[in-house]
Amino acid sequence: MLVHGGTGGVGHVAVQLAKHFGADVYSTVSGEKQMKIVENYGATAINYKTEKVEDYVEIHTNGEGFDVVFDSVGGENMLKSFEAAALNGHVASTVSLCELDLSAMHFKGLSLHVVFMLIPMLHNFKREQHGEILSNLTKIVEAGNLKPLLDKEQFSLENIGEAYDRLESKQAIGKVVVKN
């Protein structure tokens, strides 16, 4: 499994959960500090700034691609997810608000799953199932197999704009926290 953005607010959770469930996990990161974090989770770090998709696919999958790609970066990065995925592979994303040519998906027979966690709350849809998922996550956290990664800078409601700027800057490592 490949996780794009393995030290981001969502990506760090995906890496840890994939390891918890026994996956062989690889994750893209942007620097040495992020590489160490991902490696401490037991995953193989890939610096996307120094390695091209075709190169790390060749190195880590013998050119076959990853069976599952989780993209928490989104936008144009989705094209990298399609490139990194194996034939008939699966791509999941939490950030798919973009317009893309899906030809690469078609020619590889990929499936795309978009995750929008607010659906149960916004539409009162399968809330019990959502609650069950959160209960199971609580057990994983309590067992010590999922630890939140919080960005070093924290914000109050009074400076919410600065929190958003931090998130958009792509400099945050982990979740950007706003305290009341």
PDB file of all heavy atoms in Angstrom, residues 110-151:
ATOM      1  N   LEU A 110      -8.519   0.741 -12.878  1.00  0.00           N
ATOM      2  CA  LEU A 110      -8.480   1.103 -11.459  1.00  0.00           C
ATOM      3  C   LEU A 110      -9.871   1.391 -10.911  1.00  0.00           C
ATOM      4  O   LEU A 110     -10.752   1.837 -11.635  1.00  0.00           O
ATOM      5  CB  LEU A 110      -7.613   2.352 -11.255  1.00  0.00           C
ATOM      6  CG  LEU A 110      -6.168   2.285 -11.736  1.00  0.00           C
ATOM      7  CD1 LEU A 110      -5.482   3.629 -11.535  1.00  0.00           C
ATOM      8  CD2 LEU A 110      -5.419   1.178 -11.020  1.00  0.00           C
ATOM      9  N   SER A 111     -10.026   1.156  -9.635  1.00  0.00           N
ATOM     10  CA  SER A 111     -11.239   1.607  -8.954  1.00  0.00           C
ATOM     11  C   SER A 111     -10.861   2.814  -8.105  1.00  0.00           C
ATOM     12  O   SER A 111      -9.740   2.911  -7.597  1.00  0.00           O
ATOM     13  CB  SER A 111     -11.831   0.497  -8.091  1.00  0.00           C
ATOM     14  OG  SER A 111     -10.972   0.185  -7.025  1.00  0.00           O
ATOM     15  N   LEU A 112     -11.792   3.749  -7.978  1.00  0.00           N
ATOM     16  CA  LEU A 112     -11.579   4.957  -7.187  1.00  0.00           C
ATOM     17  C   LEU A 112     -12.659   5.041  -6.130  1.00  0.00           C
ATOM     18  O   LEU A 112     -13.853   4.941  -6.443  1.00  0.00           O
ATOM     19  CB  LEU A 112     -11.623   6.208  -8.079  1.00  0.00           C
ATOM     20  CG  LEU A 112     -11.539   7.564  -7.377  1.00  0.00           C
ATOM     21  CD1 LEU A 112     -10.207   7.713  -6.644  1.00  0.00           C
ATOM     22  CD2 LEU A 112     -11.723   8.694  -8.386  1.00  0.00           C
ATOM     23  N   HIS A 113     -12.237   5.194  -4.889  1.00  0.00           N
ATOM     24  CA  HIS A 113     -13.177   5.336  -3.774  1.00  0.00           C
ATOM     25  C   HIS A 113     -12.901   6.676  -3.109  1.00  0.00           C
ATOM     26  O   HIS A 113     -11.775   6.944  -2.694  1.00  0.00           O
ATOM     27  CB  HIS A 113     -13.002   4.193  -2.764  1.00  0.00           C
ATOM     28  CG  HIS A 113     -13.954   4.291  -1.626  1.00  0.00           C
ATOM     29  ND1 HIS A 113     -15.272   3.912  -1.729  1.00  0.00           N
ATOM     30  CD2 HIS A 113     -13.794   4.752  -0.371  1.00  0.00           C
ATOM     31  CE1 HIS A 113     -15.877   4.125  -0.579  1.00  0.00           C
ATOM     32  NE2 HIS A 113     -15.005   4.635   0.259  1.00  0.00           N
ATOM     33  N   VAL A 114     -13.930   7.492  -3.019  1.00  0.00           N
ATOM     34  CA  VAL A 114     -13.799   8.796  -2.379  1.00  0.00           C
ATOM     35  C   VAL A 114     -14.400   8.711  -0.984  1.00  0.00           C
ATOM     36  O   VAL A 114     -15.531   8.246  -0.807  1.00  0.00           O
ATOM     37  CB  VAL A 114     -14.510   9.890  -3.206  1.00  0.00           C
ATOM     38  CG1 VAL A 114     -14.444  11.225  -2.497  1.00  0.00           C
ATOM     39  CG2 VAL A 114     -13.885   9.977  -4.596  1.00  0.00           C
ATOM     40  N   VAL A 115     -13.633   9.156   0.003  1.00  0.00           N
ATOM     41  CA  VAL A 115     -14.052   9.118   1.395  1.00  0.00           C
ATOM     42  C   VAL A 115     -14.418  10.532   1.832  1.00  0.00           C
ATOM     43  O   VAL A 115     -13.602  11.449   1.736  1.00  0.00           O
ATOM     44  CB  VAL A 115     -12.911   8.582   2.298  1.00  0.00           C
ATOM     45  CG1 VAL A 115     -13.334   8.569   3.757  1.00  0.00           C
ATOM     46  CG2 VAL A 115     -12.473   7.202   1.835  1.00  0.00           C
ATOM     47  N   PHE A 116     -15.649  10.712   2.300  1.00  0.00           N
ATOM     48  CA  PHE A 116     -16.087  11.990   2.852  1.00  0.00           C
ATOM     49  C   PHE A 116     -16.750  11.678   4.184  1.00  0.00           C
ATOM     50  O   PHE A 116     -17.908  11.279   4.245  1.00  0.00           O
ATOM     51  CB  PHE A 116     -17.037  12.693   1.883  1.00  0.00           C
ATOM     52  CG  PHE A 116     -17.449  14.066   2.329  1.00  0.00           C
ATOM     53  CD1 PHE A 116     -16.518  14.982   2.799  1.00  0.00           C
ATOM     54  CD2 PHE A 116     -18.770  14.461   2.252  1.00  0.00           C
ATOM     55  CE1 PHE A 116     -16.899  16.253   3.201  1.00  0.00           C
ATOM     56  CE2 PHE A 116     -19.165  15.733   2.649  1.00  0.00           C
ATOM     57  CZ  PHE A 116     -18.218  16.627   3.123  1.00  0.00           C
ATOM     58  N   MET A 117     -15.989  11.806   5.245  1.00  0.00           N
ATOM     59  CA  MET A 117     -16.400  11.356   6.575  1.00  0.00           C
ATOM     60  C   MET A 117     -17.614  12.086   7.151  1.00  0.00           C
ATOM     61  O   MET A 117     -18.221  11.620   8.098  1.00  0.00           O
ATOM     62  CB  MET A 117     -15.233  11.463   7.555  1.00  0.00           C
ATOM     63  CG  MET A 117     -14.086  10.517   7.258  1.00  0.00           C
ATOM     64  SD  MET A 117     -14.543   8.775   7.355  1.00  0.00           S
ATOM     65  CE  MET A 117     -14.843   8.608   9.104  1.00  0.00           C
ATOM     66  N   LEU A 118     -17.987  13.224   6.597  1.00  0.00           N
ATOM     67  CA  LEU A 118     -19.109  13.980   7.138  1.00  0.00           C
ATOM     68  C   LEU A 118     -20.474  13.501   6.639  1.00  0.00           C
ATOM     69  O   LEU A 118     -21.504  13.945   7.139  1.00  0.00           O
ATOM     70  CB  LEU A 118     -18.947  15.469   6.812  1.00  0.00           C
ATOM     71  CG  LEU A 118     -17.763  16.165   7.472  1.00  0.00           C
ATOM     72  CD1 LEU A 118     -17.686  17.613   7.025  1.00  0.00           C
ATOM     73  CD2 LEU A 118     -17.841  16.080   8.980  1.00  0.00           C
ATOM     74  N   ILE A 119     -20.505  12.594   5.669  1.00  0.00           N
ATOM     75  CA  ILE A 119     -21.779  12.149   5.101  1.00  0.00           C
ATOM     76  C   ILE A 119     -22.749  11.646   6.171  1.00  0.00           C
ATOM     77  O   ILE A 119     -23.916  12.044   6.175  1.00  0.00           O
ATOM     78  CB  ILE A 119     -21.565  11.112   3.977  1.00  0.00           C
ATOM     79  CG1 ILE A 119     -21.044  11.842   2.734  1.00  0.00           C
ATOM     80  CG2 ILE A 119     -22.849  10.344   3.660  1.00  0.00           C
ATOM     81  CD1 ILE A 119     -20.702  10.950   1.563  1.00  0.00           C
ATOM     82  N   PRO A 120     -22.322  10.791   7.112  1.00  0.00           N
ATOM     83  CA  PRO A 120     -23.279  10.334   8.130  1.00  0.00           C
ATOM     84  C   PRO A 120     -23.902  11.478   8.935  1.00  0.00           C
ATOM     85  O   PRO A 120     -25.097  11.449   9.240  1.00  0.00           O
ATOM     86  CB  PRO A 120     -22.436   9.421   9.029  1.00  0.00           C
ATOM     87  CG  PRO A 120     -21.356   8.946   8.129  1.00  0.00           C
ATOM     88  CD  PRO A 120     -21.039  10.120   7.238  1.00  0.00           C
ATOM     89  N   MET A 121     -23.109  12.488   9.251  1.00  0.00           N
ATOM     90  CA  MET A 121     -23.640  13.607  10.031  1.00  0.00           C
ATOM     91  C   MET A 121     -24.487  14.555   9.181  1.00  0.00           C
ATOM     92  O   MET A 121     -25.536  15.014   9.613  1.00  0.00           O
ATOM     93  CB  MET A 121     -22.492  14.378  10.683  1.00  0.00           C
ATOM     94  CG  MET A 121     -21.784  13.579  11.763  1.00  0.00           C
ATOM     95  SD  MET A 121     -20.537  14.504  12.651  1.00  0.00           S
ATOM     96  CE  MET A 121     -19.305  14.754  11.390  1.00  0.00           C
ATOM     97  N   LEU A 122     -24.024  14.859   7.976  1.00  0.00           N
ATOM     98  CA  LEU A 122     -24.734  15.813   7.129  1.00  0.00           C
ATOM     99  C   LEU A 122     -26.057  15.272   6.604  1.00  0.00           C
ATOM    100  O   LEU A 122     -27.019  16.019   6.417  1.00  0.00           O
ATOM    101  CB  LEU A 122     -23.859  16.221   5.940  1.00  0.00           C
ATOM    102  CG  LEU A 122     -22.608  17.022   6.258  1.00  0.00           C
ATOM    103  CD1 LEU A 122     -21.783  17.242   4.996  1.00  0.00           C
ATOM    104  CD2 LEU A 122     -22.957  18.362   6.900  1.00  0.00           C
ATOM    105  N   HIS A 123     -26.107  13.960   6.352  1.00  0.00           N
ATOM    106  CA  HIS A 123     -27.285  13.364   5.717  1.00  0.00           C
ATOM    107  C   HIS A 123     -27.996  12.330   6.586  1.00  0.00           C
ATOM    108  O   HIS A 123     -28.914  11.667   6.107  1.00  0.00           O
ATOM    109  CB  HIS A 123     -26.872  12.718   4.385  1.00  0.00           C
ATOM    110  CG  HIS A 123     -26.249  13.682   3.439  1.00  0.00           C
ATOM    111  ND1 HIS A 123     -26.979  14.618   2.749  1.00  0.00           N
ATOM    112  CD2 HIS A 123     -24.958  13.869   3.080  1.00  0.00           C
ATOM    113  CE1 HIS A 123     -26.169  15.342   1.994  1.00  0.00           C
ATOM    114  NE2 HIS A 123     -24.933  14.910   2.176  1.00  0.00           N
ATOM    115  N   ASN A 124     -27.564  12.189   7.830  1.00  0.00           N
ATOM    116  CA  ASN A 124     -28.132  11.178   8.723  1.00  0.00           C
ATOM    117  C   ASN A 124     -28.185   9.826   8.018  1.00  0.00           C
ATOM    118  O   ASN A 124     -29.186   9.121   7.995  1.00  0.00           O
ATOM    119  CB  ASN A 124     -29.519  11.587   9.209  1.00  0.00           C
ATOM    120  CG  ASN A 124     -29.949  10.776  10.413  1.00  0.00           C
ATOM    121  OD1 ASN A 124     -29.107  10.254  11.157  1.00  0.00           O
ATOM    122  ND2 ASN A 124     -31.245  10.652  10.618  1.00  0.00           N
ATOM    123  N   PHE A 125     -27.036   9.451   7.431  1.00  0.00           N
ATOM    124  CA  PHE A 125     -26.928   8.256   6.609  1.00  0.00           C
ATOM    125  C   PHE A 125     -25.945   7.277   7.245  1.00  0.00           C
ATOM    126  O   PHE A 125     -24.770   7.595   7.402  1.00  0.00           O
ATOM    127  CB  PHE A 125     -26.456   8.656   5.197  1.00  0.00           C
ATOM    128  CG  PHE A 125     -26.329   7.514   4.238  1.00  0.00           C
ATOM    129  CD1 PHE A 125     -27.456   6.932   3.682  1.00  0.00           C
ATOM    130  CD2 PHE A 125     -25.080   7.019   3.890  1.00  0.00           C
ATOM    131  CE1 PHE A 125     -27.346   5.884   2.788  1.00  0.00           C
ATOM    132  CE2 PHE A 125     -24.953   5.961   3.000  1.00  0.00           C
ATOM    133  CZ  PHE A 125     -26.096   5.394   2.447  1.00  0.00           C
ATOM    134  N   LYS A 126     -26.433   6.115   7.619  1.00  0.00           N
ATOM    135  CA  LYS A 126     -25.612   5.045   8.200  1.00  0.00           C
ATOM    136  C   LYS A 126     -24.782   5.539   9.388  1.00  0.00           C
ATOM    137  O   LYS A 126     -23.614   5.198   9.548  1.00  0.00           O
ATOM    138  CB  LYS A 126     -24.704   4.416   7.139  1.00  0.00           C
ATOM    139  CG  LYS A 126     -25.470   3.719   6.036  1.00  0.00           C
ATOM    140  CD  LYS A 126     -24.550   2.986   5.077  1.00  0.00           C
ATOM    141  CE  LYS A 126     -25.356   2.281   4.011  1.00  0.00           C
ATOM    142  NZ  LYS A 126     -24.512   1.519   3.096  1.00  0.00           N
ATOM    143  N   ARG A 127     -25.418   6.309  10.248  1.00  0.00           N
ATOM    144  CA  ARG A 127     -24.722   6.849  11.421  1.00  0.00           C
ATOM    145  C   ARG A 127     -24.274   5.730  12.373  1.00  0.00           C
ATOM    146  O   ARG A 127     -23.217   5.832  12.977  1.00  0.00           O
ATOM    147  CB  ARG A 127     -25.602   7.850  12.145  1.00  0.00           C
ATOM    148  CG  ARG A 127     -25.795   9.135  11.346  1.00  0.00           C
ATOM    149  CD  ARG A 127     -26.624  10.100  12.109  1.00  0.00           C
ATOM    150  NE  ARG A 127     -25.789  10.649  13.167  1.00  0.00           N
ATOM    151  CZ  ARG A 127     -25.836  11.901  13.540  1.00  0.00           C
ATOM    152  NH1 ARG A 127     -26.654  12.731  12.977  1.00  0.00           N
ATOM    153  NH2 ARG A 127     -25.056  12.328  14.522  1.00  0.00           N
ATOM    154  N   GLU A 128     -25.074   4.675  12.481  1.00  0.00           N
ATOM    155  CA  GLU A 128     -24.707   3.569  13.364  1.00  0.00           C
ATOM    156  C   GLU A 128     -23.428   2.894  12.876  1.00  0.00           C
ATOM    157  O   GLU A 128     -22.553   2.555  13.669  1.00  0.00           O
ATOM    158  CB  GLU A 128     -25.841   2.537  13.455  1.00  0.00           C
ATOM    159  CG  GLU A 128     -27.122   3.074  14.038  1.00  0.00           C
ATOM    160  CD  GLU A 128     -27.965   3.861  13.037  1.00  0.00           C
ATOM    161  OE1 GLU A 128     -27.771   3.728  11.802  1.00  0.00           O
ATOM    162  OE2 GLU A 128     -28.815   4.650  13.493  1.00  0.00           O
ATOM    163  N   GLN A 129     -23.334   2.704  11.569  1.00  0.00           N
ATOM    164  CA  GLN A 129     -22.131   2.095  10.986  1.00  0.00           C
ATOM    165  C   GLN A 129     -20.919   2.999  11.222  1.00  0.00           C
ATOM    166  O   GLN A 129     -19.841   2.524  11.553  1.00  0.00           O
ATOM    167  CB  GLN A 129     -22.346   1.866   9.488  1.00  0.00           C
ATOM    168  CG  GLN A 129     -21.209   1.146   8.810  1.00  0.00           C
ATOM    169  CD  GLN A 129     -21.466   0.954   7.307  1.00  0.00           C
ATOM    170  OE1 GLN A 129     -22.394   1.528   6.736  1.00  0.00           O
ATOM    171  NE2 GLN A 129     -20.640   0.146   6.686  1.00  0.00           N
ATOM    172  N   HIS A 130     -21.116   4.284  11.074  1.00  0.00           N
ATOM    173  CA  HIS A 130     -20.037   5.259  11.318  1.00  0.00           C
ATOM    174  C   HIS A 130     -19.600   5.193  12.787  1.00  0.00           C
ATOM    175  O   HIS A 130     -18.403   5.192  13.088  1.00  0.00           O
ATOM    176  CB  HIS A 130     -20.548   6.661  10.963  1.00  0.00           C
ATOM    177  CG  HIS A 130     -19.488   7.692  10.860  1.00  0.00           C
ATOM    178  ND1 HIS A 130     -18.614   7.754   9.810  1.00  0.00           N
ATOM    179  CD2 HIS A 130     -19.171   8.721  11.678  1.00  0.00           C
ATOM    180  CE1 HIS A 130     -17.798   8.779   9.967  1.00  0.00           C
ATOM    181  NE2 HIS A 130     -18.120   9.378  11.096  1.00  0.00           N
ATOM    182  N   GLY A 131     -20.571   5.104  13.684  1.00  0.00           N
ATOM    183  CA  GLY A 131     -20.268   4.995  15.114  1.00  0.00           C
ATOM    184  C   GLY A 131     -19.486   3.732  15.433  1.00  0.00           C
ATOM    185  O   GLY A 131     -18.577   3.745  16.270  1.00  0.00           O
ATOM    186  N   GLU A 132     -19.828   2.641  14.763  1.00  0.00           N
ATOM    187  CA  GLU A 132     -19.115   1.379  14.958  1.00  0.00           C
ATOM    188  C   GLU A 132     -17.652   1.509  14.512  1.00  0.00           C
ATOM    189  O   GLU A 132     -16.736   1.026  15.183  1.00  0.00           O
ATOM    190  CB  GLU A 132     -19.820   0.275  14.172  1.00  0.00           C
ATOM    191  CG  GLU A 132     -19.291  -1.109  14.448  1.00  0.00           C
ATOM    192  CD  GLU A 132     -20.094  -2.158  13.677  1.00  0.00           C
ATOM    193  OE1 GLU A 132     -21.333  -2.084  13.676  1.00  0.00           O
ATOM    194  OE2 GLU A 132     -19.442  -3.045  13.088  1.00  0.00           O
ATOM    195  N   ILE A 133     -17.440   2.175  13.385  1.00  0.00           N
ATOM    196  CA  ILE A 133     -16.079   2.409  12.893  1.00  0.00           C
ATOM    197  C   ILE A 133     -15.286   3.215  13.920  1.00  0.00           C
ATOM    198  O   ILE A 133     -14.142   2.878  14.252  1.00  0.00           O
ATOM    199  CB  ILE A 133     -16.095   3.129  11.531  1.00  0.00           C
ATOM    200  CG1 ILE A 133     -16.637   2.192  10.444  1.00  0.00           C
ATOM    201  CG2 ILE A 133     -14.708   3.644  11.161  1.00  0.00           C
ATOM    202  CD1 ILE A 133     -16.982   2.899   9.140  1.00  0.00           C
ATOM    203  N   LEU A 134     -15.905   4.268  14.456  1.00  0.00           N
ATOM    204  CA  LEU A 134     -15.216   5.099  15.448  1.00  0.00           C
ATOM    205  C   LEU A 134     -14.949   4.332  16.741  1.00  0.00           C
ATOM    206  O   LEU A 134     -13.905   4.504  17.372  1.00  0.00           O
ATOM    207  CB  LEU A 134     -16.022   6.373  15.715  1.00  0.00           C
ATOM    208  CG  LEU A 134     -16.102   7.339  14.527  1.00  0.00           C
ATOM    209  CD1 LEU A 134     -17.044   8.496  14.849  1.00  0.00           C
ATOM    210  CD2 LEU A 134     -14.730   7.840  14.132  1.00  0.00           C
ATOM    211  N   SER A 135     -15.860   3.448  17.126  1.00  0.00           N
ATOM    212  CA  SER A 135     -15.639   2.606  18.311  1.00  0.00           C
ATOM    213  C   SER A 135     -14.450   1.675  18.103  1.00  0.00           C
ATOM    214  O   SER A 135     -13.637   1.472  19.008  1.00  0.00           O
ATOM    215  CB  SER A 135     -16.883   1.781  18.634  1.00  0.00           C
ATOM    216  OG  SER A 135     -17.928   2.614  19.044  1.00  0.00           O
ATOM    217  N   ASN A 136     -14.351   1.095  16.908  1.00  0.00           N
ATOM    218  CA  ASN A 136     -13.216   0.222  16.592  1.00  0.00           C
ATOM    219  C   ASN A 136     -11.905   1.012  16.583  1.00  0.00           C
ATOM    220  O   ASN A 136     -10.876   0.505  17.033  1.00  0.00           O
ATOM    221  CB  ASN A 136     -13.430  -0.493  15.263  1.00  0.00           C
ATOM    222  CG  ASN A 136     -14.513  -1.545  15.352  1.00  0.00           C
ATOM    223  OD1 ASN A 136     -14.784  -2.089  16.410  1.00  0.00           O
ATOM    224  ND2 ASN A 136     -15.160  -1.822  14.237  1.00  0.00           N
ATOM    225  N   LEU A 137     -11.952   2.221  16.076  1.00  0.00           N
ATOM    226  CA  LEU A 137     -10.754   3.077  16.096  1.00  0.00           C
ATOM    227  C   LEU A 137     -10.332   3.392  17.528  1.00  0.00           C
ATOM    228  O   LEU A 137      -9.140   3.426  17.833  1.00  0.00           O
ATOM    229  CB  LEU A 137     -10.996   4.380  15.333  1.00  0.00           C
ATOM    230  CG  LEU A 137     -10.932   4.293  13.829  1.00  0.00           C
ATOM    231  CD1 LEU A 137     -11.342   5.614  13.198  1.00  0.00           C
ATOM    232  CD2 LEU A 137      -9.546   3.894  13.356  1.00  0.00           C
ATOM    233  N   THR A 138     -11.303   3.601  18.389  1.00  0.00           N
ATOM    234  CA  THR A 138     -10.994   3.866  19.803  1.00  0.00           C
ATOM    235  C   THR A 138     -10.212   2.705  20.404  1.00  0.00           C
ATOM    236  O   THR A 138      -9.235   2.908  21.134  1.00  0.00           O
ATOM    237  CB  THR A 138     -12.296   4.115  20.598  1.00  0.00           C
ATOM    238  OG1 THR A 138     -12.961   5.248  20.053  1.00  0.00           O
ATOM    239  CG2 THR A 138     -12.011   4.343  22.071  1.00  0.00           C
ATOM    240  N   LYS A 139     -10.605   1.479  20.084  1.00  0.00           N
ATOM    241  CA  LYS A 139      -9.898   0.301  20.595  1.00  0.00           C
ATOM    242  C   LYS A 139      -8.459   0.256  20.078  1.00  0.00           C
ATOM    243  O   LYS A 139      -7.535  -0.105  20.814  1.00  0.00           O
ATOM    244  CB  LYS A 139     -10.640  -0.977  20.198  1.00  0.00           C
ATOM    245  CG  LYS A 139     -11.989  -1.121  20.871  1.00  0.00           C
ATOM    246  CD  LYS A 139     -12.767  -2.304  20.322  1.00  0.00           C
ATOM    247  CE  LYS A 139     -14.170  -2.301  20.885  1.00  0.00           C
ATOM    248  NZ  LYS A 139     -15.045  -3.260  20.219  1.00  0.00           N
ATOM    249  N   ILE A 140      -8.263   0.633  18.823  1.00  0.00           N
ATOM    250  CA  ILE A 140      -6.912   0.647  18.246  1.00  0.00           C
ATOM    251  C   ILE A 140      -6.059   1.704  18.927  1.00  0.00           C
ATOM    252  O   ILE A 140      -4.887   1.462  19.254  1.00  0.00           O
ATOM    253  CB  ILE A 140      -6.993   0.865  16.714  1.00  0.00           C
ATOM    254  CG1 ILE A 140      -7.677  -0.334  16.046  1.00  0.00           C
ATOM    255  CG2 ILE A 140      -5.603   1.102  16.115  1.00  0.00           C
ATOM    256  CD1 ILE A 140      -8.064  -0.106  14.594  1.00  0.00           C
ATOM    257  N   VAL A 141      -6.646   2.870  19.194  1.00  0.00           N
ATOM    258  CA  VAL A 141      -5.929   3.939  19.908  1.00  0.00           C
ATOM    259  C   VAL A 141      -5.576   3.481  21.318  1.00  0.00           C
ATOM    260  O   VAL A 141      -4.431   3.622  21.776  1.00  0.00           O
ATOM    261  CB  VAL A 141      -6.769   5.238  19.956  1.00  0.00           C
ATOM    262  CG1 VAL A 141      -6.150   6.258  20.906  1.00  0.00           C
ATOM    263  CG2 VAL A 141      -6.923   5.825  18.558  1.00  0.00           C
ATOM    264  N   GLU A 142      -6.540   2.915  22.022  1.00  0.00           N
ATOM    265  CA  GLU A 142      -6.315   2.464  23.399  1.00  0.00           C
ATOM    266  C   GLU A 142      -5.268   1.363  23.476  1.00  0.00           C
ATOM    267  O   GLU A 142      -4.560   1.240  24.474  1.00  0.00           O
ATOM    268  CB  GLU A 142      -7.640   2.014  24.021  1.00  0.00           C
ATOM    269  CG  GLU A 142      -8.562   3.186  24.312  1.00  0.00           C
ATOM    270  CD  GLU A 142      -9.962   2.778  24.738  1.00  0.00           C
ATOM    271  OE1 GLU A 142     -10.335   1.578  24.594  1.00  0.00           O
ATOM    272  OE2 GLU A 142     -10.702   3.664  25.206  1.00  0.00           O
ATOM    273  N   ALA A 143      -5.133   0.576  22.415  1.00  0.00           N
ATOM    274  CA  ALA A 143      -4.113  -0.483  22.375  1.00  0.00           C
ATOM    275  C   ALA A 143      -2.734   0.093  22.043  1.00  0.00           C
ATOM    276  O   ALA A 143      -1.742  -0.633  22.039  1.00  0.00           O
ATOM    277  CB  ALA A 143      -4.505  -1.543  21.348  1.00  0.00           C
ATOM    278  N   GLY A 144      -2.669   1.383  21.740  1.00  0.00           N
ATOM    279  CA  GLY A 144      -1.393   2.025  21.432  1.00  0.00           C
ATOM    280  C   GLY A 144      -0.950   1.875  19.992  1.00  0.00           C
ATOM    281  O   GLY A 144       0.203   2.156  19.669  1.00  0.00           O
ATOM    282  N   ASN A 145      -1.846   1.448  19.121  1.00  0.00           N
ATOM    283  CA  ASN A 145      -1.488   1.220  17.720  1.00  0.00           C
ATOM    284  C   ASN A 145      -1.831   2.381  16.795  1.00  0.00           C
ATOM    285  O   ASN A 145      -1.636   2.280  15.584  1.00  0.00           O
ATOM    286  CB  ASN A 145      -2.159  -0.054  17.212  1.00  0.00           C
ATOM    287  CG  ASN A 145      -1.614  -1.275  17.914  1.00  0.00           C
ATOM    288  OD1 ASN A 145      -0.443  -1.325  18.260  1.00  0.00           O
ATOM    289  ND2 ASN A 145      -2.467  -2.252  18.142  1.00  0.00           N
ATOM    290  N   LEU A 146      -2.337   3.457  17.351  1.00  0.00           N
ATOM    291  CA  LEU A 146      -2.631   4.662  16.574  1.00  0.00           C
ATOM    292  C   LEU A 146      -2.418   5.868  17.485  1.00  0.00           C
ATOM    293  O   LEU A 146      -3.103   6.020  18.494  1.00  0.00           O
ATOM    294  CB  LEU A 146      -4.076   4.635  16.055  1.00  0.00           C
ATOM    295  CG  LEU A 146      -4.571   5.867  15.306  1.00  0.00           C
ATOM    296  CD1 LEU A 146      -3.710   6.150  14.071  1.00  0.00           C
ATOM    297  CD2 LEU A 146      -6.024   5.699  14.903  1.00  0.00           C
ATOM    298  N   LYS A 147      -1.424   6.659  17.117  1.00  0.00           N
ATOM    299  CA  LYS A 147      -1.088   7.838  17.919  1.00  0.00           C
ATOM    300  C   LYS A 147      -1.223   9.085  17.051  1.00  0.00           C
ATOM    301  O   LYS A 147      -0.657   9.154  15.964  1.00  0.00           O
ATOM    302  CB  LYS A 147       0.341   7.723  18.448  1.00  0.00           C
ATOM    303  CG  LYS A 147       0.520   6.557  19.389  1.00  0.00           C
ATOM    304  CD  LYS A 147       1.948   6.416  19.877  1.00  0.00           C
ATOM    305  CE  LYS A 147       2.012   5.258  20.835  1.00  0.00           C
ATOM    306  NZ  LYS A 147       2.818   4.171  20.407  1.00  0.00           N
ATOM    307  N   PRO A 148      -1.973  10.067  17.560  1.00  0.00           N
ATOM    308  CA  PRO A 148      -2.126  11.281  16.761  1.00  0.00           C
ATOM    309  C   PRO A 148      -0.809  12.040  16.632  1.00  0.00           C
ATOM    310  O   PRO A 148      -0.008  12.091  17.569  1.00  0.00           O
ATOM    311  CB  PRO A 148      -3.158  12.108  17.533  1.00  0.00           C
ATOM    312  CG  PRO A 148      -3.184  11.535  18.899  1.00  0.00           C
ATOM    313  CD  PRO A 148      -2.694  10.124  18.814  1.00  0.00           C
ATOM    314  N   LEU A 149      -0.603  12.595  15.463  1.00  0.00           N
ATOM    315  CA  LEU A 149       0.555  13.437  15.186  1.00  0.00           C
ATOM    316  C   LEU A 149       0.023  14.858  15.073  1.00  0.00           C
ATOM    317  O   LEU A 149      -0.763  15.162  14.184  1.00  0.00           O
ATOM    318  CB  LEU A 149       1.230  13.003  13.876  1.00  0.00           C
ATOM    319  CG  LEU A 149       2.412  13.828  13.383  1.00  0.00           C
ATOM    320  CD1 LEU A 149       3.565  13.800  14.392  1.00  0.00           C
ATOM    321  CD2 LEU A 149       2.875  13.311  12.020  1.00  0.00           C
ATOM    322  N   LEU A 150       0.422  15.710  16.011  1.00  0.00           N
ATOM    323  CA  LEU A 150      -0.066  17.087  16.041  1.00  0.00           C
ATOM    324  C   LEU A 150       1.025  18.038  15.583  1.00  0.00           C
ATOM    325  O   LEU A 150       2.171  17.929  16.010  1.00  0.00           O
ATOM    326  CB  LEU A 150      -0.520  17.462  17.453  1.00  0.00           C
ATOM    327  CG  LEU A 150      -1.558  16.539  18.091  1.00  0.00           C
ATOM    328  CD1 LEU A 150      -1.910  17.022  19.491  1.00  0.00           C
ATOM    329  CD2 LEU A 150      -2.797  16.420  17.218  1.00  0.00           C
ATOM    330  N   ASP A 151       0.644  18.988  14.745  1.00  0.00           N
ATOM    331  CA  ASP A 151       1.580  19.999  14.279  1.00  0.00           C
ATOM    332  C   ASP A 151       2.094  20.789  15.481  1.00  0.00           C
ATOM    333  O   ASP A 151       1.385  20.976  16.470  1.00  0.00           O
ATOM    334  CB  ASP A 151       0.889  20.932  13.283  1.00  0.00           C
ATOM    335  CG  ASP A 151       1.861  21.885  12.621  1.00  0.00           C
ATOM    336  OD1 ASP A 151       2.884  21.415  12.085  1.00  0.00           O
ATOM    337  OD2 ASP A 151       1.604  23.105  12.640  1.00  0.00           O
TER     338      ASP A 151
END
